[in-house]
């Protein structure tokens, strides 16, 4: 039996649906002065569990979804739609009146946010966020970069975007994304799909992408979460995140995994090469953040 959403799609012409969407977006922008900026951002990492954590959070009665309802987890403002301006960004979040109603109904402080894993990787996102929301809380999921890179490739492959096998994609990466970071800095409204899609190896050098954030925000504003901890104990990681955001406890009936991609194991030769490659970067990350990241290749 078709779902209600699919039945609506069959009954309502696409032109009508488009007009409704346009009117809602316009309404959000027109009421943007009544829409406070978010309280938290999940800034990374891609293929590190951000979709799962986001879906756990929005089941909490004090964490509303983005507006309009079809928005999933991110506005992409700080990396793709910067040129649309602050009113457009605010339009994605609930009004002060809606926040107050939720707080009254559930007896606690509302926490509004978004989850955009490209924010951590974009060279200008940290300074943009700091200028607009200097007190925002930042949640950072960090996954073993070898597994993250392979999962990233699997996602691109599944979407029909990546024609190369993993080893060849790694070899082609530098050429594919050459000059993209520099262009993002030089042209503030430029958006690079190649920089997002094909940055398998580069994206796992976490510390160089985190430094602009660490320079601009107090350490107390960060919650660093090993993705492996989320996978092993989703309930515990969820509770830890609620505590960091100042939200009251709220248990969920289950913690299903979102966007999981099963596949053949990574080839041992490629795994060994990547593990050796990331070893110095991971060691520097551990020392800088004081985290016990239990990833292969760590010092004894």
């Amino acid at each position: 039996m078709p779902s209600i959403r699919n039945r609506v799609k069959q009954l309502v012409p696409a032109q009508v649906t488009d007009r409704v969407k346009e009117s809602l977006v316009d309404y959000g922008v027109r009421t943007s002065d009544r829409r406070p900026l978010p309280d938290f951002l999940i800034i990374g990492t891609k293929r590190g569990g951000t979709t799962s954590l986001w879906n756990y959070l929005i089941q909490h009665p004090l964490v509303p979804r983005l507006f309009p309802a079809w928005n999933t987890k991110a506005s992409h403002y700080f990396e793709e739609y910067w040129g649309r301006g602050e009113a457009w960004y605010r339009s994605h979040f609930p009004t002060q009146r809606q926040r107050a109603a939720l707080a009254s109904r559930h007896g606690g402080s509302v926490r509004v946010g978004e989850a955009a894993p490209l924010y951590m990787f974009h060279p200008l996102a940290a300074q943009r966020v700091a200028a607009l929301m200097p007190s925002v809380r930042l949640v950072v999921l960090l996954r073993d970069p070898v597994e993250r890179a392979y999962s990233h490739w699997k996602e691109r492959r599944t979407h029909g975007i990546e024609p190369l096998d993993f080893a060849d994609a790694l070899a082609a990466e530098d050429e594919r994304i050459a000059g993209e970071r520099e262009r993002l800095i030089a042209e503030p409204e430029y958006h690079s799909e190649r920089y997002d899609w094909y940055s398998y190896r580069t994206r796992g050098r976490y510390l160089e992408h985190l430094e602009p954030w660490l320079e601009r925000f107090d350490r107390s504003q960060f919650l660093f979460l090993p993705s492996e901890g989320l996978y092993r104990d989703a309930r515990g990681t969820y509770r830890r995140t609620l505590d960091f955001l100042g939200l009251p406890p709220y248990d969920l009936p289950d913690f299903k995994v979102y966007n999981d991609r099963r596949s053949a194991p990574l080839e041992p030769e490629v795994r060994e090469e990547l593990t050796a490659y990331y070893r110095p970067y991971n060691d520097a990350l551990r020392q800088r953040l004081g985290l016990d990241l239990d990833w292969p290749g760590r010092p004894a």
Side-chain angles (χ1 to χ4, degrees), residues 11 50 90 112 114 126 145-146 168-169 182 231 233 265 298:
L11 295 172
T50 59
R90 285 179 178 268
V112 175
E114 62 169 332
V146 177
D168 288 341
E182 292 75 15
Y231 304 146
D233 181 15
R298 65 178 297 183

Side-chain angles (χ1 to χ4, degrees), residues 161-206:
I161 292 168
E162 178 55 84
L164 304 178
D165 66 27
F166 187 44
D168 288 341
L170 290 171
E173 179 172 333
D174 287 347
E175 181 178 354
R176 280 172 153 182
I177 67 173
E180 292 300 287
R181 180 179 177 85
E182 292 75 15
R183 186 176 175 187
L184 286 167
I185 295 171
E187 303 175 30
E189 295 186 23
Y190 175 61
H191 173 66
S192 172
E193 289 181 335
R194 285 190 293 160
Y195 188 68
D196 181 15
W197 288 351
Y198 302 126
S199 48
Y200 307 118
R201 185 190 298 265
T202 308
R203 202 113 155 195
R205 300 196 301 258
Y206 296 131

Side-chain angles (χ1 to χ4, degrees), residues 37-168:
L37 292 165
D39 306 289
F40 72 92
L41 301 174
I42 302 175
I43 63 171
T45 182
K46 184 179 182 67
R47 305 305 303 161
T50 59
T51 300
S52 291
L53 183 59
W54 172 254
N55 278 281
Y56 304 154
L57 288 174
I58 59 175
Q59 293 180 66
H60 193 290
L62 291 168
V63 182
R65 294 172 178 267
L66 272 65
F67 177 86
W70 63 77
N71 282 301
T72 52
K73 63 177 182 176
S75 69
H76 300 286
Y77 176 59
F78 294 104
E79 30 88 353
E80 184 172 357
Y81 299 118
W82 178 248
R84 297 189 179 185
E86 182 181 336
W88 181 87
Y89 183 54
R90 285 179 178 268
S91 75
H92 290 79
F93 305 106
T95 64
Q96 186 63 56
R97 182 177 179 179
Q98 291 167 328
R99 290 175 64 130
L102 279 177
S104 175
R105 186 181 312 139
H106 298 289
S109 298
V110 171
R111 294 291 183 263
V112 175
E114 62 169 332
L118 188 53
Y119 284 175
M120 187 176 87
F121 188 52
H122 193 284
L124 299 180
Q127 67 188 60
R128 291 170 173 174
V129 173
L132 187 61
M133 304 184 298
S135 300
V136 73
R137 287 183 172 264
L138 302 165
V139 179
V140 186
L141 284 154
L142 297 172
R143 183 180 184 181
D144 171 6
V146 177
E147 295 296 338
R148 193 224 68 81
Y150 189 41
S151 181
H152 186 170
W153 172 82
K154 287 188 288 184
E155 179 191 62
R156 297 297 87 198
R157 189 82 161 182
T158 301
H159 290 172
I161 292 168
E162 178 55 84
L164 304 178
D165 66 27
F166 187 44
D168 288 341

Side-chain angles (χ1 to χ4, degrees), residues 32 44 292:
S32 61
D292 183 18

